[in-house]
Amino acid sequence: MSVEFLGDWRRTHYSSVVTPDLDGVEVTVFGWIQDIRDHGNIIFLTLSDKEGLIQITGTRRNTPPEVMEKMKSLSRQSAIGVKGVVSARVEAPRGVEVIPREIKVLGLASHPLPLDPTGRVHAEIDVRLDARILDLRRPEPRAIFKVRHKVVSAIREYLDEQGFIEVHTPKIIATAAEGGAALFPVDYFNSRAYLAQSPELYKEELITVFEKVYEIGTYFRAEESHTRRHLNEFISVDVEEAFVDYGDVMKLQEDLLAYVLRKLSDECMDQLNILKVNLPKIVLPLKRYKYSEIVDQLNKNGYRLEWGEDLSTSAYRVLGKIHRNEFYFIIDWPTETRPFYVKPKGDSSQTCEAFDLMYEWLEITSGGSRVDRKEQMVERLRKQGLDPANFEFHLKTYDYGMPPHAGWGLGLDRLLMALLRIGNIREVVLFPRDRFRLTP
Ligand code: AMO
């Protein structure tokens, strides 16, 4: 079968707006063939477009013979255009179908396909990711990415409304902001550069100009760990604000979360139904547990943790059991567990003004108040074994009037996992990058 030209054919209707009240109206629809059922005198073809499905029904009585022949030879997932007449019929899905007059084959699918996009045949995640485009044609991934889109637009709406401006900071950088171990090096002409792990230092500098900034960006970490919550490339929503502390930005974080949840329940019910999930419920303010309380909770539940230690994956798993269906903050972490830019609390340097937003076992966000005095910054860098000379440009900003400030970085992919109760980060990322996957 040969592929035809689009010519002057243009879509008149998406599938979703072809409804029984259009009975008798001529329409042009485009899409991909999801399914074909050939009963001889009658052929049903399910066409899928970005809005949903519409049934195309060819019959010996109403459809030209050459169109019937064409329908018989079409392959599933081919892209086609159909000109035909809408027919209201109760037995058809959604009570409506299109009787084709003419069909154009616009893009052929060659068989066998590596997986079945109707989802009737189960496929493991690696098989699905290898054929990700076909996989994305299944209703569930489509629903996930529509929800993801809505989450991103809700975040932008909310932060814009609060007076933040969106910024874009460099992704090719000269020095690490989040520790050297997890940097991806890049050949940069005659020198060595790295892929950005976060916009941390830039966003802190920018609050001395714009006061309230945010960035939704792609970041890179060369972590070797292969887990269900880490990727080597991920999206973070970063916020930074001047003249506030970590309490203020925690409030911003939870208000934003409530806004996103409201938006999804108002505008994404169809997708949530496809995914069969109920959104998590939250009551504000979210609980704020001190790190020391978390240590007690873990020890009471049989997990040995000394004050000062960072939480391991198995500690998080225990926390997940204690805090089922709960979004909560862990605050006031030991200073040693946090990066150099986080501000130690009051006179004590033992704990710092840091927090994580958690959902059950999963860390969604980390943030805190920042070191805003140059001398303290130099001291913190040295304590963490970093050379202040490598941070010359950042330290210079402190000479131009660095106010107290605070902010956070929210893992967008992890937020999706929590909202949709999905256990593997790869399900919520279009083309995930991990140690073993660089394609497609
Ligand atoms: P942190 O390193 O905790 O903090 O990162 C912020 C959030 O980003 C997400 N995240 C990841 N998601 C997927 N794969 C990864 N490998 C990965 N690493 C991190 C997590 C995490 O909570 N500069 C600070 C933020 C701040 O203080 O403003 C930072 O980068 O959800």
Side-chain angles (χ1 to χ4, degrees):
M1 178 172 297
S2 57
V3 173
E4 293 157 273
F5 291 109
L6 182 64
D8 59 0
W9 281 38
R10 289 296 177 272
R11 171 185 271 133
T12 60
H13 295 73
Y14 281 106
S15 59
S16 55
V17 294
V18 179
T19 45
D21 54 302
L22 292 188
D23 188 58
V25 172
E26 182 164 309
V27 294
T28 304
V29 289
F30 290 111
W32 289 261
I33 301 167
Q34 194 71 3
D35 212 1
I36 307 173
R37 280 167 300 136
D38 181 356
H39 299 289
N41 286 338
I42 184 162
I43 304 174
F44 298 109
L45 201 153
T46 312
L47 196 69
S48 152
D49 64 16
K50 81 182 184 71
E51 302 295 323
L53 303 172
I54 178 72
Q55 178 164 290
I56 312 295
T57 307
T59 61
R60 286 250 173 268
R61 207 147 55 94
N62 296 323
T63 310
E66 68 280 7
V67 175
M68 285 298 270
E69 278 317 302
K70 209 172 203 176
M71 285 178 88
K72 277 183 198 292
S73 55
L74 286 168
S75 55
R76 282 184 303 124
Q77 295 304 320
S78 294
I80 62 166
V82 179
K83 265 189 209 290
V85 176
V86 177
S87 164
R89 192 168 65 86
V90 274
E91 295 82 12
R94 294 193 294 114
V96 69
E97 61 195 4
V98 172
I99 312 296
R101 285 208 178 127
E102 227 181 309
I103 291 184
K104 272 195 187 195
V105 181
L106 299 168
L108 272 178
S110 46
H111 283 238
L113 296 170
L115 60 85
D116 171 18
T118 64
R120 282 192 291 253
V121 184
H122 172 79
E124 293 303 329
I125 185 152
D126 270 322
V127 174
R128 292 200 283 108
L129 290 177
D130 283 342
R132 188 57 157 162
I133 287 296
L134 270 185
D135 179 50
L136 291 171
R137 290 192 192 162
R138 294 185 307 115
E140 292 82 4
R142 272 189 218 233
I144 291 173
F145 290 98
K146 282 192 181 170
V147 171
R148 190 176 159 116
H149 167 70
K150 189 55 77 180
V151 169
V152 174
S153 58
I155 290 173
R156 284 208 165 94
E157 258 166 46
Y158 188 76
L159 294 173
D160 291 353
E161 183 64 28
Q162 299 301 311
F164 284 80
I165 75 161
E166 184 169 3
V167 296
H168 299 99
T169 63
K171 302 295 168 259
I172 304 178
I173 54 159
T175 37
E178 312 288 346
L183 277 170
F184 278 116
V186 176
D187 281 336
Y188 196 67
F189 306 105
N190 291 326
S191 64
R192 171 55 58 93
Y194 304 95
L195 295 179
Q197 301 158 308
S198 87
E200 183 62 37
L201 303 183
Y202 289 106
K203 68 175 178 172
E204 289 193 44
E205 292 167 18
L206 287 169
I207 58 90
T208 72
V209 183
F210 303 108
E211 298 196 27
K212 293 173 145 199
V213 297
Y214 76 94
E215 174 158 16
I216 303 179
T218 303
Y219 300 98
F220 308 90
R221 301 209 181 166
E223 289 161 86
E224 304 236 328
S225 55
H226 190 70
T227 77
R228 300 199 299 161
R229 67 182 193 285
H230 289 96
L231 289 175
N232 296 103
E233 179 181 294
F234 66 97
I235 304 286
S236 166
V237 178
D238 273 86
V239 154
E240 201 68 23
E241 182 172 354
F243 307 109
V244 297
D245 71 8
Y246 72 145
D248 301 284
V249 293
M250 271 191 271
K251 174 149 189 344
L252 175 75
Q253 166 73 101
E254 65 189 2
D255 288 345
L256 171 68
L257 179 64
Y259 184 80
V260 167
L261 284 166
R262 260 200 317 279
K263 261 280 176 270
L264 295 186
S265 68
D266 287 349
E267 297 179 22
C268 284
M269 261 340 200
D270 290 350
Q271 286 75 32
L272 295 170
N273 287 337
I274 290 172
L275 296 168
K276 300 189 182 69
V277 286
N278 296 316
L279 289 172
K281 302 245 179 313
I282 59 168
V283 179
L284 298 190
L286 298 178
K287 289 253 176 57
R288 286 140 167 82
Y289 300 101
K290 293 201 161 103
Y291 166 86
S292 52
E293 294 174 79
I294 293 290
V295 173
D296 290 345
Q297 288 176 8
L298 286 169
N299 283 315
K300 274 195 196 119
N301 283 273
Y303 186 90
R304 299 285 322 142
L305 188 83
E306 295 283 335
W307 195 97
E309 286 176 69
D310 212 342
L311 304 186
S312 63
T313 301
S314 43
Y316 281 121
R317 288 290 178 188
V318 176
L319 280 183
K321 292 203 178 97
I322 304 171
H323 298 280
R324 271 201 203 290
N325 301 323
E326 193 191 350
F327 277 101
Y328 58 102
F329 287 110
I330 306 180
I331 64 169
D332 298 352
W333 288 73
T335 309
E336 286 305 302
T337 62
R338 292 282 148 154
F340 61 86
Y341 51 77
V342 179
K343 188 184 203 162
K345 209 170 150 62
D347 292 335
S348 134
S349 55
Q350 291 278 301
T351 54
C352 60
E353 297 193 5
F355 69 89
D356 280 356
L357 172 71
M358 304 287 304
Y359 179 70
E360 298 186 336
W361 62 280
L362 189 65
E363 174 198 318
I364 311 287
T365 301
S366 44
S369 312
R370 318 301 189 184
V371 172
D372 52 52
R373 305 271 158 86
K374 189 174 182 176
E375 320 73 70
Q376 192 177 25
M377 188 61 153
V378 171
E379 185 197 317
R380 294 273 295 136
L381 282 167
R382 288 216 174 96
K383 262 206 171 133
Q384 299 213 351
L386 297 163
D387 181 358
N390 291 335
F391 294 83
E392 187 194 338
F393 287 105
H394 183 61
L395 288 168
K396 263 271 159 241
T397 324
Y398 284 71
D399 299 335
Y400 311 147
M402 176 61 88
H405 59 286
W408 42 253
L410 171 154
L412 179 69
D413 316 304
R414 295 216 185 150
L415 178 62
L416 263 293
M417 290 173 73
L419 296 173
L420 300 178
R421 296 155 202 262
I422 286 174
N424 190 337
I425 194 168
R426 291 159 187 77
E427 299 280 3
V428 302
V429 174
L430 287 172
F431 300 104
R433 290 287 175 263
D434 63 33
R435 233 178 103 195
F436 305 106
R437 182 173 287 285
L438 193 52
T439 53

